[in-house]
Amino acid sequence: MVRKRSKKIYVLDTNILLHEPFAFLNFQEHDVVIPMTVLEELDHIKDRNKDVSRDARVAIRALEDVLRDASPEQMLHGVALPLHGEQKISGHLTIINDHHLKDELPGLPGGENDHLIINTALYLQRERSPQKVILVTKDINMRLKAKGAGLKLVEDYRTDQLIDDVRFLYKGYYRFPGEFWGQVKECQTEQKDRDILHLLERQLLPDAYINEFLIDEAESFAGQVVAINEQKIRVRDLGYERMMHRHAWGITPKNIYQAMALEALLDPNMDLVILTGPAGCGKTLIALAAALELVIEKGLYDKVIVTRNTPEIAESIGFLPGTEEEKMAPWLAAITDSLEVLHKTDEHPHASVGYIMDKANIQFKSVNFMRGRSIQNAIVILDECQNLSAAQLKTIITRCGEGTKLICSGNLSQIDSNYLTAVTSGLTYIVERFKNFPGSATINLNGVVRSRLASFAEENL
């Protein structure tokens, strides 16, 4: 006999609905409580000229869809939430007026919004005992205050969190200890056009993913998984030395990680390439060199579009005079820096950079204006995307039309967003979501830094 799970009560903080406007629908058969303070905060945010205001409006509309036909009494006692999939038991959504609770409960002092929400959870913990009451918030300090005030259960929102520790994030490659061929017991090899393919036993790499790179410690083998079934994996032999001698726009890889990145970037069958790694590992430089090679030398694409989030979490790019590209230029200085590095040996480097930007049709665009577009036959470089949420990244990915290649790069140790952590970053999300997609490749770059100073800072600061 299957034991029925007891219903829990989840009290949601405002930042949960800003992070995911439909979050209140994701608690299965459990009840969800929205304090009146949360609705007031959403109301204040919805009219601001910021990207987060859109999420506030979506959350308000989603709540209204569920509560539209409910009477005031039903809203107090709970309105049944819609069922999903094979779910048979529905949770209930309740709006609770938390402003009158300060006189009934010795909770946190003052009229701060965070304190009102915490006091709501404390009130429900007392009134609904022994039913479990859980405050859900992405605010770490609020979680600490809630526990200090006596709330037993406090959680982060993890429905969209695919991993618990970025140390276990998919790297896009597997390194065999020792020599690769010393571990292969059975292999069938065939030649198809210019490629050498090896058919290996699946047990050699039971957790293989499509397009995953394979290397070994002996630096004698480099390959890429091109097909997988229950018994076998098919590996394309790339050749370690051949990969290390690949080049794009005069750039050759300094290590095997950059070589793998270059291999994926120059492959026209890869619609999405994700580059992760610390500062100075060459993500932007290699991405730009590959883009110039594909657009100018090979003519496979018509233009290069470069974009990134602005420090205000992809909100405003300002109202000062200037075109969109002129306003975005300060945020995309890493791209112009890389262009200067690629042409530093030219007789007139500055003139060369201007010529190449015109010839490759390099455009600087704001993330704000990506919504509603359909980008055709272009290379889109999305730099510093660790500061974008999964929803913002989805907006950009879905703008990529026929013949467009998207390059996402970011450093998960440099997150500036108030709403994201390394495990909830959109970069982490797409790495895990796309690792089984046949048109994508992920490479975590390691081992290259700008200077001794940067290396020391990475290790000691």
Side-chain angles (χ1 to χ4, degrees):
M1 181 177 178
V2 178
R3 186 179 178 182
K4 183 180 176 181
R5 293 192 297 175
S6 59
K7 275 194 173 186
K8 301 173 184 175
I9 299 174
Y10 288 93
V11 181
L12 303 192
D13 187 17
T14 311
N15 53 43
I16 301 301
L17 295 176
L18 295 177
H19 176 75
E20 186 177 331
F22 296 94
F24 66 93
L25 299 173
N26 295 333
F27 290 88
Q28 300 178 351
E29 76 274 16
H30 303 294
D31 295 333
V32 176
V33 171
I34 306 290
M36 195 72 72
T37 299
V38 170
L39 295 181
E40 292 171 353
E41 287 192 328
L42 290 175
D43 188 53
H44 291 148
I45 293 170
K46 70 179 175 63
D47 293 325
R48 298 178 187 172
N49 187 27
K50 296 184 178 182
D51 190 68
V52 72
S53 302
R54 181 189 64 84
D55 296 321
R57 292 191 293 270
V58 172
I60 292 169
R61 285 194 292 267
L63 289 168
E64 202 269 339
D65 287 342
V66 174
L67 302 172
R68 181 184 291 114
D69 300 322
S71 66
E73 292 77 14
Q74 288 174 319
M75 289 180 67
L76 290 174
H77 290 92
V79 177
L81 289 165
L83 297 171
H84 294 286
E86 299 180 356
Q87 183 182 340
K88 296 180 180 179
I89 302 174
S90 171
H92 289 77
L93 174 64
T94 303
I95 305 295
I96 187 168
N97 185 358
D98 51 342
H99 292 283
H100 74 282
L101 299 180
K102 59 185 178 182
D103 298 326
E104 301 182 18
L105 187 76
L108 293 172
E112 292 185 27
N113 289 344
D114 283 359
H115 292 182
L116 290 172
I117 296 169
I118 292 171
N119 288 344
T120 300
L122 289 168
Y123 170 78
L124 292 171
Q125 181 177 263
R126 185 190 71 182
E127 295 296 317
R128 301 288 185 89
S129 180
Q131 193 172 5
K132 291 183 177 179
V133 176
I134 304 156
L135 173 65
V136 186
T137 177
K138 301 198 76 63
D139 186 335
I140 298 174
N141 193 52
M142 188 174 177
R143 294 202 293 266
L144 293 173
K145 286 198 290 186
K147 289 181 180 180
L151 194 60
K152 297 177 182 178
L153 299 172
V154 186
E155 293 180 0
D156 189 4
Y157 181 72
R158 295 178 178 271
T159 301
D160 63 344
Q161 185 173 313
L162 302 179
I163 60 172
D164 294 320
D165 192 332
V166 290
R167 290 179 297 176
F168 304 113
L169 184 66
Y170 176 60
K171 290 181 171 58
Y173 63 87
Y174 180 79
R175 180 190 289 273
F176 286 90
E179 188 179 7
F180 172 77
W181 289 113
Q183 302 176 50
V184 176
K185 297 179 180 178
E186 190 174 325
C187 173
Q188 299 176 21
T189 300
E190 62 181 15
Q191 185 158 357
K192 186 177 180 181
D193 298 327
R194 298 176 62 182
D195 294 330
I196 297 175
L197 302 173
H198 306 296
L199 194 62
L200 309 171
E201 292 293 328
R202 179 67 186 272
Q203 62 186 17
L204 180 68
L205 195 65
D207 298 322
Y209 294 100
I210 197 74
N211 294 328
E212 183 174 9
F213 287 92
L214 307 179
I215 55 177
D216 62 8
E217 288 182 345
E219 300 184 356
S220 62
F221 178 82
Q224 187 179 26
V225 178
V226 295
I228 305 172
N229 60 35
E230 293 182 358
Q231 289 82 32
K232 303 284 186 178
I233 59 172
R234 190 179 297 274
V235 176
R236 180 163 62 101
D237 195 326
L238 299 173
Y240 197 97
E241 289 300 322
R242 289 200 310 274
M243 284 185 65
M244 291 300 296
H245 286 89
R246 289 210 70 168
H247 61 87
W249 208 250
I251 292 294
T252 54
K254 290 187 176 181
N255 60 19
I256 190 61
Y257 309 107
Q258 289 188 352
M260 291 186 289
L262 206 55
E263 180 71 30
L265 289 166
L266 294 175
D267 187 346
N269 296 316
M270 294 294 176
D271 302 320
L272 171 65
V273 179
I274 306 169
L275 305 179
T276 65
C281 65
K283 301 184 296 294
T284 304
L285 184 67
I286 289 179
L288 188 59
L292 294 176
E293 183 78 16
L294 292 171
V295 172
I296 297 177
E297 291 295 326
K298 298 187 177 181
L300 298 178
Y301 302 92
D302 297 332
K303 58 187 174 183
V304 180
I305 295 177
V306 184
T307 185
R308 58 159 287 182
N309 72 306
T310 48
E312 299 85 10
I313 318 170
E315 292 166 0
S316 172
I317 59 169
F319 296 98
L320 294 174
T323 64
E324 178 187 359
E325 294 193 1
E326 288 171 341
K327 291 177 180 179
M328 287 300 297
W331 313 128
L332 292 168
I335 301 298
T336 53
D337 289 346
S338 296
L339 279 171
E340 290 172 1
V341 170
L342 292 172
H343 294 275
K344 65 181 180 181
T345 58
D346 292 1
E347 187 174 352
H348 300 288
H350 185 73
S352 295
V353 169
Y355 173 77
I356 291 301
M357 287 187 67
D358 183 60
K359 188 172 180 61
N361 194 10
I362 298 177
Q363 304 173 14
F364 290 170
K365 298 297 180 183
S366 170
V367 170
N368 293 12
F369 306 134
M370 284 295 182
R371 190 179 302 278
R373 297 188 63 184
S374 181
I375 302 169
Q376 308 289 334
N377 206 42
I379 293 180
V380 179
I381 300 177
L382 179 56
D383 204 21
E384 300 290 333
C385 65
Q386 73 273 6
N387 287 313
L388 292 173
S389 68
Q392 289 170 325
L393 268 173
K394 181 179 178 181
T395 296
I396 296 168
I397 292 172
T398 53
R399 297 305 95 211
C400 295
E402 191 70 27
T404 289
K405 186 189 196 81
L406 176 62
I407 304 170
C408 294
S409 66
N411 178 6
L412 287 169
S413 65
Q414 293 183 345
I415 294 181
D416 303 314
S417 170
N418 297 328
Y419 300 96
L420 298 173
T421 63
V423 294
T424 60
S425 167
L427 178 61
T428 300
Y429 194 77
I430 63 168
V431 167
E432 289 296 311
R433 282 296 189 201
F434 280 90
K435 62 187 180 184
N436 274 320
F437 177 59
S440 73
T442 296
I443 302 93
N444 177 255
L445 288 86
N446 288 300
V448 181
V449 294
R450 295 187 182 98
S451 62
R452 292 185 302 168
L453 176 63
S455 179
F456 184 84
E458 286 284 341
E459 296 174 1
N460 296 281
L461 295 184

